[in-house]
Amino acid sequence: MLSRHILMCSRVGFTPSTSQAVFHTSAVNSVLPRAKPLDEEMPLASPKKPRPDTQILDLSGKRHKKDIDIIVGDQYLQQWYKMETKNLAADYLALCKSKLSLFVASTATCGVLMAPVPVAADSLIAATVGTFLLSSAANACNQLLEAPYDAQMRRTQTRVLVVHRFSPLHAFTFAGVTGLTGIGLLAYYANPLAAALGALNWFIYAGVYTPMKRSHIGCTWAGAVVGAIPPLMGYAAATGYLDPAAWCLATILFSWQFPHFNGLSWNLRGDYSKAGYRVMCVTNERLCRVTSLRHSVALLGLCSIAAPLTDLTTLTFAIDSLPVNAYLVYLSYKFYKAPDAKNSRKLFFYSLLHLPLVMLLMGISNYGRNEQQKEHISDRISNGYNKMVDSVKSFSL
Amino acid sequence: MSSISSSSSNVRMDRRFDWVGPPDNLSKIRKIMLRRVDNESELERQYRLAREELNQWNSDFWAEHNQLFDRQKSDFVERKQQELGRLEHVSANELSEFYRDFLNDRHVAMMAYNKEWYRRNLQLIWPALKVNVVRFFRMARR
């Protein structure tokens, strides 16, 4: 009887609450459309029993009896393997999260190209390579500190330090060498400001963001700052200073992180909760959805208003970034209204396309080096019209 | 393929190498066994034991934590399912209430574990360095 009553109420849109709390969020949750949980989130009806495996003794080569001393007491002998790397280069790339580091390095390259100075080869290369190396160092430190947590999550359980491809000391040395090389490269071929920013970023990622993931919801903001600094590094490498245009660029990247990360983490809430990460999507869902929307709208304002205003780009960028950002706002709004697996995945994958597109458009409409576009738009129209009239006149003569 | 099957046998493994085992069912942490030589110095022995023990301690913590999570989650799902009756299924939104409450309940324990893990992991780097130096010189002497 009661269940039918509850059923009718939930169809109407609210669940009768029996809690004593004055403010509670159960009403808000039942206003959202009911999303189906992922298959892996639902506990299995009956846990599968492990079958006793056959085991094969590993006898290779001639060995003295005293070499054999470690005793393994389990059935899964063939699943034990030696702690060694089959392919050191591939494992290093995995340790430094090479695809992510390349992405970060590309944002630094964008920073160099947006600087209002002629592009110098050494600052370009130093910024790109230096940022890649520093990002690798930061990621290696992160994996070093998070190995047991990574083991708990499906997404990260094959990371090199989880499967013990090499020892923690090895990873620590790798981080030290790449980080110091990156800083040195930036200091020597670019300038000390870029190197200092790089070192700061390394520290924030490994020393602030990584521990904060476990303790406070503000970790996403710290992570967004980490994402915003590489373009500043590129800009500083090219020019040696940071002006409002650079800060506008950094803020664009800062705001982008939110729809990106929230879209990614929504589907992994179960894993994140089990592994103890206090990210927004687990601890405060409403904030998660709202920040994605808020920052997507902020991106619209940043690209279309702040960018031309701070002389980062010309007006062309303000106009041609509108559809790109508008679609992001649309997807964020859909995610806000109906948060489920499909909408979050769409948001995440589009954010991966959105940033390179925006950086490309920005590069094309660069203000600092673009003499022609510095003319006011009405002058450009009248000049274009005059040129057209002249060419028609010369043709008809 | 010839095979020897037994339910609880102890198999000896070559101790000249470092071994990594399969992930534990509960804790998902892999067991490790580090290599040793006959004339292992006290420093090396302590380092090896400390690292193996740290790994085991991690495994124990996560086994307990994961068991708690699974048990509380199935209790929660059962309770919700009873409330909802047979026509509706537990939605993702309701599960997320559980995720949030679970995290908040475990916050203190997780923070203590985290601090301890950082401390012990970083503490082992210096002994690891010393052991590697000792091993390098031993190899160079041969």
Side-chain angles (χ1 to χ4, degrees):
Chain A
M1 191 66 162
L2 184 63
S3 59
R4 213 185 320 140
H5 176 69
I6 292 173
L7 206 65
M8 287 200 309
C9 285
S10 59
R11 287 230 183 88
V12 170
F14 64 91
T15 318
S17 160
T18 52
S19 74
Q20 304 286 338
V22 179
F23 300 108
H24 53 80
T25 55
S26 62
V28 179
N29 267 338
S30 40
V31 166
L32 292 173
R34 294 177 72 78
K36 193 171 167 298
L38 302 169
D39 284 330
E40 47 259 20
E41 281 186 290
M42 295 313 292
L44 296 165
S46 60
K48 291 189 273 213
K49 282 215 170 70
R51 251 176 288 141
D53 264 343
T54 57
Q55 49 182 334
I56 301 160
L57 277 180
D58 179 22
L59 299 168
S60 52
K62 211 169 172 188
R63 280 189 322 217
H64 300 290
K65 206 160 176 196
K66 62 180 165 107
D67 285 341
I68 309 166
D69 206 33
I70 299 174
I71 297 173
V72 168
D74 68 24
Q75 311 150 303
Y76 304 100
L77 178 63
Q78 63 262 45
Q79 293 182 33
W80 282 75
Y81 55 87
K82 294 196 195 124
M83 199 189 282
E84 63 187 1
T85 54
K86 294 272 155 44
N87 186 346
L88 190 64
D91 284 339
Y92 276 161
L93 286 178
L95 181 63
C96 71
K97 294 192 218 167
S98 52
K99 282 190 271 204
L100 176 65
S101 296
L102 272 172
F103 201 36
V104 170
S106 73
T107 62
T109 313
C110 176
V112 174
L113 294 173
M114 293 305 292
V117 292
V119 180
D122 55 354
S123 60
L124 183 67
I125 295 174
T128 312
V129 176
T131 310
F132 180 80
L133 288 174
L134 275 165
S135 171
S136 311
N139 286 324
C141 287
N142 172 282
Q143 290 196 25
L144 196 63
L145 288 173
E146 297 207 320
Y149 298 96
D150 286 342
Q152 308 304 319
M153 292 183 55
R154 233 177 320 256
R155 185 174 73 101
T156 54
Q157 65 192 8
T158 51
R159 286 211 170 141
V160 281
L161 284 176
V162 176
V163 299
H164 294 274
R165 282 266 177 270
F166 31 67
S167 68
L169 177 68
H170 195 151
F172 184 76
T173 316
F174 175 82
V177 167
T178 47
L180 291 172
T181 313
I183 295 178
L185 213 68
L186 278 170
Y188 186 73
Y189 286 105
N191 55 60
L193 178 61
L197 281 171
L200 179 72
N201 211 19
W202 183 13
F203 171 71
I204 295 181
Y205 188 74
V208 176
Y209 170 65
T210 301
M212 228 177 152
K213 281 205 279 191
R214 217 89 56 229
S215 60
H216 196 267
I217 199 178
C219 58
T220 314
W221 278 262
V225 169
V226 170
I229 291 186
L232 285 180
M233 281 164 68
Y235 202 95
T239 59
Y241 56 81
L242 295 172
D243 55 7
W247 293 107
C248 176
L249 182 59
T251 318
I252 289 176
L253 259 109
F254 178 85
S255 285
W256 176 81
Q257 307 288 332
F258 289 90
H260 174 74
F261 181 70
N262 289 340
L264 170 69
S265 58
W266 187 264
N267 285 328
L268 307 170
R269 279 173 303 163
D271 273 356
Y272 275 128
S273 168
K274 195 174 190 179
Y277 287 106
R278 301 190 69 82
V279 290
M280 264 197 281
C281 62
V282 186
T283 50
N284 190 338
E285 292 207 341
R286 199 190 149 267
L287 189 66
C288 177
R289 289 157 37 228
V290 162
T291 49
S292 315
L293 188 58
R294 230 186 260 165
H295 284 270
S296 305
V297 173
L299 271 174
L300 204 62
L302 278 166
C303 289
S304 298
I305 303 172
L309 213 65
T310 56
D311 288 342
L312 177 68
T313 63
T314 57
L315 270 177
T316 325
F317 177 68
I319 299 167
D320 56 27
S321 68
L322 272 176
V324 182
N325 285 327
Y327 190 54
L328 188 72
V329 171
Y330 171 67
L331 286 178
S332 301
Y333 182 70
K334 280 220 316 205
F335 175 65
Y336 170 74
K337 270 294 176 195
D340 59 13
K342 194 167 73 105
N343 287 336
S344 64
R345 234 173 262 155
K346 272 188 13 194
L347 180 63
F348 170 66
F349 283 119
Y350 180 67
S351 75
L352 287 178
L353 175 67
H354 169 270
L355 188 65
L357 210 57
V358 161
M359 292 202 298
L360 185 69
L361 289 173
M362 257 201 277
I364 296 172
S365 320
N366 171 286
Y367 183 82
R369 289 190 302 278
N370 203 330
E371 288 307 321
Q372 191 206 33
Q373 295 215 18
K374 276 190 185 148
E375 290 179 68
H376 197 264
I377 199 154
S378 55
D379 288 341
R380 257 205 291 160
I381 293 172
S382 57
N383 285 344
Y385 177 72
N386 289 337
K387 265 198 239 154
M388 195 171 61
V389 166
D390 288 341
S391 68
V392 167
K393 271 199 209 148
S394 64
F395 188 66
S396 60
L397 277 170
Chain B
M1 246 199 303
S2 69
S3 53
I4 302 164
S5 76
S6 53
S7 51
S8 64
S9 69
N10 290 334
V11 183
R12 292 161 185 274
M13 301 185 73
D14 195 336
R15 73 175 186 188
R16 291 176 300 173
F17 305 103
D18 298 317
W19 291 98
V20 183
D24 185 88
N25 280 331
L26 280 170
S27 73
K28 308 280 189 292
I29 305 264
R30 292 170 184 264
K31 188 154 181 213
I32 60 170
M33 299 209 142
L34 299 177
R35 67 181 189 264
R36 55 178 151 159
V37 290
D38 290 331
N39 49 346
E40 180 179 60
S41 64
E42 185 60 25
L43 177 71
E44 284 182 283
R45 196 183 71 92
Q46 282 187 350
Y47 168 70
R48 180 175 56 84
L49 290 176
R51 186 163 291 291
E52 286 178 5
E53 210 252 303
L54 179 61
N55 200 45
Q56 188 57 42
W57 172 76
N58 266 330
S59 184
D60 293 339
F61 173 82
W62 284 106
E64 188 216 324
H65 175 93
N66 288 343
Q67 267 183 318
L68 200 70
F69 181 83
D70 292 331
R71 201 171 356 119
Q72 286 192 356
K73 185 172 178 184
S74 52
D75 286 346
F76 178 83
V77 169
E78 258 182 60
R79 246 185 306 129
K80 276 286 169 176
Q81 197 65 55
Q82 278 177 6
E83 276 176 31
L84 291 173
R86 240 169 316 156
L87 281 118
E88 302 261 355
H89 287 287
V90 180
S91 79
N93 306 336
E94 282 149 3
L95 263 184
S96 60
E97 282 173 34
F98 164 72
Y99 292 144
R100 185 183 58 236
D101 295 335
F102 179 77
L103 255 194
N104 289 333
D105 291 337
R106 288 292 284 173
H107 186 55
V108 176
M110 289 296 282
M111 285 310 293
Y113 164 74
N114 193 44
K115 216 188 282 187
E116 184 71 14
W117 154 245
Y118 279 9
R119 192 180 66 85
R120 288 170 76 165
N121 194 26
L122 294 173
Q123 243 180 15
L124 274 180
I125 288 184
W126 176 236
L129 204 60
K130 286 194 278 191
V131 162
N132 271 292
V133 165
V134 165
R135 282 192 187 149
F136 175 74
F137 281 120
R138 185 189 291 138
M139 225 175 31
R141 244 183 279 133
R142 285 219 195 113

